[in-house]
């Protein structure tokens, strides 16, 4: 095949087949999301594997996810947790949370995952007020207009040296000087934050590329 005909999808097919084949639980999770009529906006298998690797490399014991959907990214993340580790995942839609809970139960992750239903901004405020133990890793993947607010709240819930990840951070608005968007504002916020060191990892999609912004918390 001539180089010009290769798409990001072609490269992703190779990476996925080689490094991120799905087992039965992940395949069933996607099938259950489809029959439950959930939108197909979960991370890809290759990005799921990337999240899994980052959590392992970081030795994360407590992970916070904002945006559960059907538990697909949650499965990749929770599988990186050691014995006694915990994933707290926040979700607005009770139907999504129900599908996710069944998927995570089927994957044998019941003891490691706790889904909290409600608007993430309110749940985060309550977690701060209630003195929630700090997290080693936060994955932000809910409504894009909420990202900067979630960042502000998640920062206080992240331990020194902890990681904050933001998904879908290469929106079309990055090419415009006049337009903005939730994830473009998020990138600007983490890039200029005095206590975050950040960069963006391009992620292959079936159509084009997207981004995963990664930040590490340094000092208060
Ligand atoms: N992380 C998932 C995908 C999440 S999709 C995966 O990759 O598998 C985004 C999710 O955020 C949807 O389920 C949507 O219902 C939820 N969401 C949207 N607005 C929200 C809000 N204000 N608070 C919490 N969750 C929200
Ligand atoms: Mg996403």
């Amino acid at each position: 095949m001539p180089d010009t005909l290769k798409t990001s999808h072609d490269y992703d097919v190779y990476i996925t087949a080689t490094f991120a084949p799905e087992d039965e639980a992940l395949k069933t999770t996607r099938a259950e999301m489809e029959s439950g009529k959930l939108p197909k906006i979960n991370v890809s298998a290759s990005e799921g594997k990337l999240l899994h690797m980052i959590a392992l490399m970081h030795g994360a014991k407590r992970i916070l996810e904002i945006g559960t959907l059907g538990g697909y990214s949650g499965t990749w993340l929770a599988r990186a947790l050691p014995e006694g580790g915990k994933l707290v995942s926040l979700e607005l839609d009770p139907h999504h949370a129900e599908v996710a809970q069944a998927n995570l139960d089927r994957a044998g992750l019941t003891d490691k995952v706790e889904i909290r239903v409600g608007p993430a901004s309110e749940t985060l405020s309550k977690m701060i007020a209630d003195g929630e133990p700090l997290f080693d890793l936060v994955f932000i993947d809910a409504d894009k207009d909420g990202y900067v607010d979630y960042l502000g709240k998640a920062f206080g819930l992240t331990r020194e040296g902890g990681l904050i990840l933001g998904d879908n951070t290469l929106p079309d608005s990055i090419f415009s000087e006049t337009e903005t968007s939730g994830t473009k504002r998020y990138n600007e916020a983490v890039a200029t934050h005095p206590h975050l060191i950040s960069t963006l990892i391009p992620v292959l999609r079936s159509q084009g590329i997207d981004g995963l912004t990664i930040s590490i918390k340094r000092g208060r």
Side-chain angles (χ1 to χ4, degrees):
M1 183 170 26
D3 273 356
T4 46
L5 292 181
K6 290 197 184 81
T7 64
S8 58
H9 179 66
D10 297 324
Y11 290 104
D12 197 44
V13 165
Y14 166 77
I15 296 170
T16 304
T18 311
F19 296 106
E22 290 178 329
D23 64 1
E24 280 314 307
L26 285 164
K27 284 181 192 156
T28 309
T29 289
R30 276 196 300 103
E32 290 295 314
M33 287 171 57
E34 185 148 8
S35 55
K37 303 221 172 348
L38 271 57
K40 288 184 185 167
I41 51 173
N42 51 281
V43 297
S44 63
S46 56
E47 190 183 352
K49 183 68 180 283
L50 174 63
L51 294 171
H52 179 80
M53 294 290 304
I54 290 173
L56 281 178
M57 289 187 283
H58 195 55
K61 294 185 182 67
R62 281 180 52 81
I63 302 177
L64 172 63
E65 175 178 65
I66 306 176
T68 315
L69 192 65
Y72 186 82
S73 56
T75 298
W76 285 103
L77 285 168
R79 284 177 167 179
L81 290 168
E83 201 62 43
K86 191 67 139 186
L87 168 72
V88 176
S89 190
L90 313 187
E91 174 55 52
L92 176 67
D93 188 318
H95 174 56
H96 293 183
E98 202 177 304
V99 171
Q101 188 66 59
N103 283 330
L104 292 157
D105 290 346
R106 198 180 318 96
L109 295 166
T110 310
D111 294 344
K112 284 188 168 149
V113 184
E114 186 189 329
I115 301 172
R116 299 188 190 168
V117 181
S121 187
E122 288 176 25
T123 309
L124 290 166
S125 294
K126 190 172 183 312
M127 288 165 81
I128 294 164
D130 292 350
E132 176 83 25
L134 300 182
F135 292 93
D136 304 300
L137 191 162
V138 180
F139 176 52
I140 304 176
D141 191 23
D143 54 310
K144 307 311 165 200
D145 284 332
Y147 270 39
V148 173
D149 172 43
Y150 303 151
L151 171 69
K153 289 174 179 170
F155 182 83
L157 289 166
T158 303
R159 73 159 167 89
E160 188 85 29
L163 300 181
I164 302 178
L165 314 180
D167 194 32
N168 309 112
T169 50
L170 280 183
D172 288 344
S173 60
I174 61 164
F175 298 113
S176 165
E177 279 182 27
T178 49
E179 263 179 71
T180 192
S181 68
T183 52
K184 187 178 171 183
R185 282 192 295 271
Y186 177 84
N187 284 336
E188 289 156 4
V190 296
T192 58
H193 195 294
H195 300 302
L196 291 175
I197 301 173
S198 305
T199 192
L200 186 149
I201 303 176
V203 173
L204 299 174
R205 300 271 179 215
S206 47
Q207 276 161 355
I209 60 168
D210 203 338
L212 176 70
T213 297
I214 61 172
S215 306
I216 184 161
K217 177 170 173 174
R218 282 288 160 84
R220 268 172 191 283

